[in-house]
Amino acid sequence: MDSQTLTYIFVGISFAIYIGIAIWSRAGSTKEFYVAGGGVSPLANGMATAADWMSAASFISMAGIISFMGYDGSVFLMGWTGGFVLLALLLAPYLRKFGKFTVPDFIGDRYYSKVARSVAVICALLVSFTYIAGQMRGVGVVFSRFLEVEIETGVIIGMIIVLFYAVLGGMKGITYTQVAQYCVLIFAFLVPAIFISFQVTGNPIPMFGMGDTLVNQPDTYMLDKLDGLSQELGFNAYTEGSKNIVDVFAITLALMVGTAGLPHVIVRFFTVKRVRDARKSAGFALLFIGILYITAPAVASFGKLNMLETVNKKKYTEMPEWFTTWEDLGLLAWTDKDADGIIQYLGEAKEGGAALTGIPEFEEKLRGESGERIVKNPSSNKNELYVDQDIMVLANPEIAKLPNWVIALVAAGCLAAALSTAAGLLLVISSSVSHDLIKKMVYPKITDKGELIAARLSSVAAVVVAGYFGINPPGFVAAVVALAFGLAAASFFPAIILGIFYKRMNKEGAIAGMVVGISLMLFYMLKFKFDFFGGGTSDDWWFGISPEGFGSIAMIVNFVVSISISKFTPAPPQNVQDMVENVRIPSGAGEATGH
């Protein structure tokens, strides 16, 4: 059976399961909508948390980034993994003990202030919308490839599906859907990795195969071969970094603390019965996440090696079908700069670099002498090939010529990863609006049924905005997501950690810190990523730190402002200080409340 038919079958079956679960577990109350009724088992919550966490950025884009950046791409691996450890060990049990529905709920009650709650709602919306833009882009990329539609159409299909089960089931539906999605995505990630590792090195365990010798060259280690090929083509050695060490540290730190401040992950720990269950589910989640994260570097290196050997110095007319398929979708482009019909993929050391000036712009319906799509914006260097980083995981099984059912499985896994996180983010957005804004601030007398309707309507509005950003993304999936981590690091992390461990922290300090932190991060992001305020190049970065890493600087500023202001303003009321003391005792938490 061909891969297209198998893809329809695999994706159709997995979606039928998700939608069936959403109908079976539909929410009947706000408590079920926000925290799944508060009775999810630690094992199920661990799987749901892992699926919530492992987004399109982890599944699709992380291996792609490592594949192209080599050693430098490891900042994403270290930052995201370390961040989850930080969240699981340092914050999750205490937040569960606090027992509220949402992060703005925690901020509003801990800092006894509607203003603090309002600032937290704005921060949650900024973080979530930035994050979900990357997810919807990932959904669009996957649908466009495997259903052979335009990326814009793919994003719209994804919007409809996410909306269906997120609006119907709320957190309850999302939780049990994410359990199924975890099973699909982890299976889809491991199976091709095992296949390719065995094919290239004869070792079926990908993480060991990456360090093994090649089947066709028994005296050569796989990574040595990749280093040699990369240098031969003018790129840096794959296993050596070229990034500024200060920026590496800043990005890693921003991703770590940003993880610990992500509202859609934090809220998952409110869905279990007890503090002990929160700790257990954090442990399970770490285990489930670790399986993918220790496999990703192997997927990246095998993918890079296979791609270099398949395309470089080969005739365009001899390229396999996957090459032209991705080219037709606009995520891969070749421009024959020396008119010899042969693909040249070269780095800066060989007078190469970026093949195009920006993303591909094609002449509509025009083809070159070899049959390639005509690119309107080629650069002046010798590199002729543009490859979108986000296609590496998706194209990997095709490049390695794996069976069609593996290609279809990867499609189902990619969609599971992107849709699970998008659904979790939608819930954060809808609960921020309906619960924290409407119920807690604008109209406290709203009924349970009215709040549920407001939450569902908020989800509809949120998915429309997310879809727009998915169609018009500001960068690659993981790069966009990295900005969301910077925003979370700059705003929530200091407020949460000081709220738990520093009982003298008051509302004045927390509000000032969040406002200054997120404003600084937004300014930097808009200036250097979106060319606002005069724009700038990497030579203009403050302290040599990229927008993806600047969240760590904004976080430090937030800490300094928060603590300084709190020193010169009144201490929190005694009942709040007693509450903070109580939160640190790891027992006695009731169910999550908010009404």
Side-chain angles (χ1 to χ4, degrees), residues 184-226:
V184 172
L185 76 87
I186 199 67
F187 192 61
F189 200 81
L190 291 179
V191 167
I194 292 168
F195 259 97
I196 296 172
S197 178
F198 187 73
Q199 186 184 67
V200 176
T201 66
N203 192 327
I205 304 173
M207 48 292 276
F208 295 144
M210 185 174 65
D212 215 332
T213 54
L214 297 167
V215 167
N216 55 5
Q217 296 177 33
D219 296 330
T220 306
Y221 284 96
M222 204 282 286
L223 287 176
D224 288 342
K225 171 82 173 180
L226 189 51

Side-chain angles (χ1 to χ4, degrees), residues 166-191:
V167 169
L168 187 70
M171 179 58 96
K172 190 179 176 187
I174 288 171
T175 297
Y176 293 109
T177 306
Q178 284 174 338
V179 171
Q181 285 169 333
Y182 175 77
C183 297
V184 172
L185 76 87
I186 199 67
F187 192 61
F189 200 81
L190 291 179
V191 167

Side-chain angles (χ1 to χ4, degrees), residues 6 19 29 33 69 75 116 127 165 187 222 245 265 292 305 319 323 357 380 383 423 431 433 464 501 503 539 565:
L6 283 167
I19 291 170
S29 66
F33 194 90
M69 294 175 66
V75 292
V127 171
Y165 66 82
F187 192 61
M222 204 282 286
I245 191 68
V265 177
L292 186 142
L305 181 66
M319 281 296 100
F323 190 98
T357 53
S380 57
N383 183 25
S431 60
V433 174
V464 171
F501 296 105
K503 66 181 181 181
D539 294 333
I565 298 283

Side-chain angles (χ1 to χ4, degrees), residues 497-535:
I497 203 118
L498 291 170
I500 295 171
F501 296 105
Y502 185 39
K503 66 181 181 181
R504 178 63 177 74
M505 177 51 58
N506 60 15
K507 62 181 179 183
E508 291 84 359
I511 293 168
M514 284 192 290
V515 171
V516 171
I518 201 156
S519 300
L520 188 60
M521 179 63 201
L522 274 174
F523 170 79
Y524 201 80
M525 193 172 95
L526 291 172
K527 180 176 175 63
F528 291 111
K529 202 76 184 177
F530 301 98
D531 285 335
F532 283 64
F533 314 115

Side-chain angles (χ1 to χ4, degrees), residues 62-339:
M62 185 173 67
I65 282 189
I66 297 172
S67 197
F68 281 87
M69 294 175 66
Y71 181 84
D72 287 337
S74 63
V75 292
F76 291 93
L77 204 62
M78 293 187 292
W80 284 336
T81 310
F84 200 84
V85 175
L86 189 68
L87 171 65
L89 300 181
L90 192 62
L91 298 181
Y94 303 108
L95 289 170
R96 174 63 192 87
K97 179 73 184 293
F98 200 88
K100 293 295 175 183
F101 278 169
T102 64
V103 173
D105 236 2
F106 170 82
I107 302 280
D109 285 11
R110 165 61 182 86
Y111 294 113
Y112 47 97
S113 164
K114 285 189 174 180
V115 177
R117 184 187 295 274
S118 307
V119 174
V121 168
I122 293 168
C123 293
L125 292 177
L126 280 170
V127 171
S128 300
F129 274 121
T130 309
Y131 203 147
I132 204 171
Q135 305 310 309
M136 296 312 293
R137 172 71 177 174
V139 170
V141 169
V142 179
F143 271 123
S144 69
R145 166 63 187 88
F146 292 106
L147 300 184
E148 295 187 352
V149 295
E150 295 291 324
I151 290 181
E152 292 76 10
T153 311
V155 171
I156 292 168
I157 294 171
M159 287 164 61
I160 294 168
I161 292 168
V162 172
L163 195 59
F164 180 81
Y165 66 82
V167 169
L168 187 70
M171 179 58 96
K172 190 179 176 187
I174 288 171
T175 297
Y176 293 109
T177 306
Q178 284 174 338
V179 171
Q181 285 169 333
Y182 175 77
C183 297
V184 172
L185 76 87
I186 199 67
F187 192 61
F189 200 81
L190 291 179
V191 167
I194 292 168
F195 259 97
I196 296 172
S197 178
F198 187 73
Q199 186 184 67
V200 176
T201 66
N203 192 327
I205 304 173
M207 48 292 276
F208 295 144
M210 185 174 65
D212 215 332
T213 54
L214 297 167
V215 167
N216 55 5
Q217 296 177 33
D219 296 330
T220 306
Y221 284 96
M222 204 282 286
L223 287 176
D224 288 342
K225 171 82 173 180
L226 189 51
D227 276 347
L229 261 179
S230 299
Q231 289 175 309
E232 188 184 318
L233 298 175
F235 298 98
N236 293 322
Y238 186 79
T239 55
E240 290 179 9
S242 60
K243 232 174 168 18
N244 168 4
I245 191 68
V246 174
D247 195 30
V248 167
F249 180 77
I251 295 174
T252 306
L253 181 62
L255 293 174
M256 279 184 69
V257 296
T259 300
L262 279 184
H264 75 288
V265 177
I266 289 173
V267 76
R268 288 237 51 91
F269 295 102
F270 299 156
T271 64
V272 292
K273 279 186 180 175
R274 295 161 295 191
V275 173
R276 186 173 58 185
D277 293 340
R279 290 183 187 277
K280 280 185 183 175
S281 59
F284 280 125
L286 270 174
L287 173 67
F288 296 137
I289 290 168
I291 294 171
L292 186 142
Y293 270 57
I294 60 175
T295 310
V299 171
S301 52
F302 288 128
K304 183 69 175 284
L305 181 66
N306 279 338
M307 192 197 75
L308 291 181
E309 291 188 328
T310 303
V311 302
N312 188 53
K313 295 181 182 174
K314 302 287 170 58
K315 286 186 176 179
Y316 174 85
T317 51
E318 294 174 356
M319 281 296 100
E321 187 182 350
W322 63 264
F323 190 98
T324 46
T325 304
W326 286 110
E327 186 187 14
D328 289 341
L329 293 170
L331 296 172
L332 192 149
W334 174 63
T335 175
D336 194 6
K337 293 178 180 175
D338 55 5

Side-chain angles (χ1 to χ4, degrees), residues 403-481:
N404 287 340
W405 67 267
V406 179
I407 296 168
L409 182 64
V410 170
C414 288
L415 287 170
L419 294 175
S420 62
T421 305
L425 289 162
L426 269 186
L427 194 76
V428 168
I429 294 168
S430 64
S431 60
S432 293
V433 174
S434 63
H435 182 69
D436 298 304
L437 195 62
I438 297 176
K439 169 77 177 178
K440 292 288 186 176
M441 298 175 65
V442 177
Y443 186 47
K445 292 180 181 175
I446 191 171
T447 62
D448 201 54
K449 187 178 177 183
E451 189 182 345
L452 198 56
I453 292 170
R456 286 178 166 145
L457 290 176
S458 305
S459 296
V460 175
V463 85
V464 171
V465 178
Y468 171 80
F469 286 119
I471 292 169
N472 303 284
F476 297 113
V477 172
V480 177
V481 167

Side-chain angles (χ1 to χ4, degrees), residues 557-576:
V557 173
N558 183 333
F559 269 117
V560 171
V561 169
S562 297
I563 294 171
S564 303
I565 298 283
S566 71
K567 291 284 186 189
F568 297 101
T569 44
Q574 190 57 47
N575 67 315
V576 172

